[in-house]
Amino acid sequence: MGPLFALAQTASRFGLWLGGALILLSALVIGVDVVLRKALALSVGGADELGGYALAIGTAWGLSAALLDRNHIRIDSLYLLFPDWLRAALDILGLLAFSAVFGLIGWHAIGVVDQSLTAGSRSMSALQTPLALPQGIWLAGLGLFLAVAALLLVRALTMLGRRDVVGIVRLIGVRTAKEEATDEVRSAEAVHMRIGGEERRS
Amino acid sequence: MIGVALAILLVLLAVAVPVAGAMGMLALALNTLYSKLPLSLAMGEMAWATSNNFLLVAIPFFVMLGEILLRSGMAERMYNALVKWMPWLPGGLMHSNIAACAMFAATSGSSVATAATIGTVALGEVKKHQYSERLFLGTLAAGGTLGILIPPSINMIVYGVLTDTSIPKLYLAGVIPGLVLAGLFMLTVLIACLINPGLGGRRVTASWDERIKSLPDLLPPLIIFLAVIGSIYAGLATATESAALGVVAALAICAWRRRLTVAVLRQVFEGTMRTTAMVMAILVAAYFLNFVITSIGLTSQVNRAITRLGLSPYELLFAVIVFYVVLGMFMETLSMMVATIPIVAPVVFAAGFDPVWYGVIMVLLIETAMITPPVGINLFVVQGVRGHGKIEDVIIGSAPFVVTLLLMILILIAFPEIAMWLPKLAAG
């Protein structure tokens, strides 16, 4: 179970980098496109389309990391009042509901890709992208999400078997708005301190 | 039907099912209960269409823009420059806080990022200059909310996409209310300090020479603002394209400051995509839910029920405002937007209110939600930056600004032109 979990974490991190790189790349292509269009009345063509694919692929490949890091928003007003065992039960229920919805989306997404493949659909643009290509990568991201969700579920249920409710809450529990805020602050502070240090040295 | 839908949603949210999961589950339940057609068959196609919607591509761009700027050191320099320019008013640095938030807001689409960034830079100054800590904290929490009113704004993009409203028009409509609100926040500080001079700390003095020298530090935010908002206004770029230009400009500034490294890029990628995936998961589910509630006729049923109440347009508007102020105390703001706007906004539009104008009202209500307890994300952020004492200090310090925000909403109702003048001017 341990190595599998580490693999899930590595794959999810890779998903974030893939999505981030695609988003940055499409920002650059769109930026160049806007400048060329105005300055030389030229267009790269299809820059918008690439941005759309980057978002779809980035979203699908980022879902599992967001799940592992407990980033998906949950309303915790009542949750915080509950005892640990109830929280743990709700955590498992929440994970189930979330994965069920995106599992169903993934299931129907297979149909979407399949249809693009059989019809040989291409985008209606200068690029004429075979749609199955971006859709396929998108579907693979959803697949990674489901695999990670299943792994988390198995892990949580094993913990339930051991009556390790605290472990469950730590694995898939709600990150409270306060935790969320603390993270935001930590990254701002890390930058602040690094810059402060540099300025004192210079 | 309305009661059942509301009950299912409330129960799912109350037991802390992730918001995206709760919306998807509600959609599936409503489909099973009220429709003979298996609407879920459309889930794949809809998820794909939502995920590659070009308007929504602006969201990761703005998140990335913020992540890059955070690491470029721009905020520090900008704040220090503003401190030199604004020490003369009673309340001193607290005005610099609000001005810095307003200026940062012009480069950032997020209120949380604005409060965290300016808060981190500013909080070191409290003790140094003997300010009343509470009001000082309040200026940061409230000033931070300007992040989503002064364009660019992620919340305006979400509103625009959910209600089919022009995002460039929403941006333009936010500019003057944003400046007016920043002015009102400063006025709030001024009045508080005139009533109780003990609140303002020791004044900082700066020579004209120092002031002039600090001016170049105000350039980077101006460049970003011109790239993002100027390009839309000049007709060079669409809302999403302008966001891409913002990313390019931010990258250039970060490289120019020699802070662009592989490690920084990796952090930027991770931060950006985590937030993006989380936001998009909710939007994908919300789109499917909207499709289902429209198909089963729930939207029109809500519309009829409200029409039967026989409220005048302004009675309806005030009911909506009270609803959001109360809900905003308890609910996270993005979830609040996607859960309510598809139902509430059409009712408000049907009563004759302008979608662009109502978009600005909506943003002001979200800003209020961010600084009203018990759940107010900016309160938590500022308390987190402070790292000691009780959250009550931030809540009390922010309270005067809640009043200011509500006042701003009333002003905007009385004088809609404050928001509508710029978009109308641009439309010619």
Side-chain angles (χ1 to χ4, degrees), chain B residues 81-289:
Chain B
L82 283 174
V83 165
K84 296 195 178 82
W85 280 89
M86 312 206 57
W88 40 276
L89 288 164
L93 284 183
M94 291 191 273
H95 297 290
S96 316
N97 290 348
I98 292 164
C101 284
M103 197 174 239
F104 192 80
T107 69
S108 162
S110 147
S111 287
V112 171
T114 306
T117 311
I118 303 300
T120 314
V121 182
L123 265 174
E125 309 288 327
V126 179
K127 282 216 191 79
K128 236 192 282 175
H129 303 289
Q130 296 146 14
Y131 281 92
S132 143
E133 199 171 15
R134 283 179 175 172
L135 194 63
F136 197 95
L137 296 168
T139 59
L140 293 170
T145 67
L146 291 169
I148 58 170
L149 180 60
I150 299 178
S153 164
I154 290 176
N155 296 60
M156 281 182 178
I157 296 171
V158 172
Y159 173 88
V161 170
L162 286 176
T163 61
D164 241 330
T165 308
S166 149
I167 293 164
K169 276 188 188 159
L170 285 168
Y171 278 4
L172 286 177
V175 174
I176 298 179
L179 295 175
V180 171
L181 183 60
L184 287 177
F185 280 161
M186 288 186 182
L187 195 65
T188 311
V189 172
L190 196 66
I191 292 171
C193 289
L194 288 177
I195 296 173
N196 180 357
L199 293 174
R202 211 174 44 213
R203 307 224 181 139
V204 188
T205 48
S207 69
W208 277 100
D209 195 37
E210 285 176 303
R211 285 181 192 169
I212 305 291
K213 270 191 192 141
S214 72
L215 278 182
D217 288 338
L218 296 178
L219 274 180
L222 196 69
I223 292 170
I224 304 273
F225 182 72
L226 283 180
V228 177
I229 304 304
S231 63
I232 298 182
Y233 202 44
L236 294 176
T238 64
T240 305
E241 287 169 347
S242 77
L245 289 176
V247 173
V248 176
L251 210 60
I253 288 171
C254 199
W256 176 54
R257 294 279 190 221
R258 296 176 188 287
R259 295 195 200 286
L260 195 63
T261 61
V262 175
V264 162
L265 265 187
R266 214 159 50 201
Q267 287 168 2
V268 167
F269 286 174
E270 286 180 16
T272 304
M273 295 325 288
R274 251 192 222 112
T275 307
T276 302
M278 180 272 284
V279 172
M280 287 300 296
I282 292 180
L283 284 175
V284 165
Y287 258 78
F288 178 59
L289 175 60

Side-chain angles (χ1 to χ4, degrees), chain A:
Chain A
M1 191 93 201
L4 214 51
F5 197 68
L7 181 68
Q9 272 169 328
T10 313
S12 300
R13 184 136 308 200
F14 166 78
L16 292 177
W17 295 342
L18 172 72
L22 286 177
I23 291 292
L24 182 63
L25 192 70
S26 59
L28 292 175
V29 174
I30 292 170
V32 169
D33 188 49
V34 171
V35 173
L36 283 185
R37 201 168 58 203
K38 207 60 204 176
L40 306 169
L42 266 175
S43 177
V44 178
D48 298 10
E49 191 183 329
L50 292 179
Y53 298 151
L55 178 61
I57 293 169
T59 300
W61 282 82
L63 280 174
S64 67
L67 187 69
L68 280 172
D69 296 333
R70 300 179 294 147
N71 287 121
H72 291 295
I73 297 177
R74 299 168 64 183
I75 309 289
D76 60 7
S77 304
L78 284 178
Y79 176 90
L80 291 177
L81 306 173
F82 295 148
D84 277 347
W85 64 267
L86 188 53
R87 283 191 202 184
L90 292 180
D91 290 339
I92 292 175
L93 180 78
L95 179 60
L96 267 175
F98 191 86
S99 352
V101 169
F102 282 86
L104 207 56
I105 287 176
W107 173 249
H108 289 295
I110 297 176
V112 173
V113 180
D114 188 46
Q115 204 179 359
S116 298
L117 266 180
T118 44
S121 327
R122 286 171 180 272
S123 65
M124 292 194 288
S125 71
L127 292 181
Q128 296 206 333
T129 319
L131 280 178
L133 184 68
Q135 286 173 343
I137 307 175
W138 171 66
L139 181 64
L142 290 174
L144 173 68
F145 164 77
L146 284 176
V148 171
L151 193 66
L152 275 177
L153 197 62
V154 170
R155 205 169 192 191
L157 289 176
T158 329
M159 284 173 164
L160 192 68
R162 289 202 306 261
R163 305 251 181 279
D164 180 10
V165 283
V166 178
I168 293 176
V169 173
R170 209 174 295 143
L171 184 69
I172 53 171
V174 174
R175 270 157 68 90
T176 60
K178 282 168 202 166
E179 266 183 275
E180 208 64 59
T182 318
D183 278 4
E184 192 74 28
V185 168
R186 252 192 227 121
S187 64
E189 270 172 357
V191 174
H192 182 56
M193 275 154 70
R194 204 173 60 232
I195 290 165
E198 277 172 30
E199 240 132 59
R200 268 193 298 281
R201 273 199 301 279
S202 62

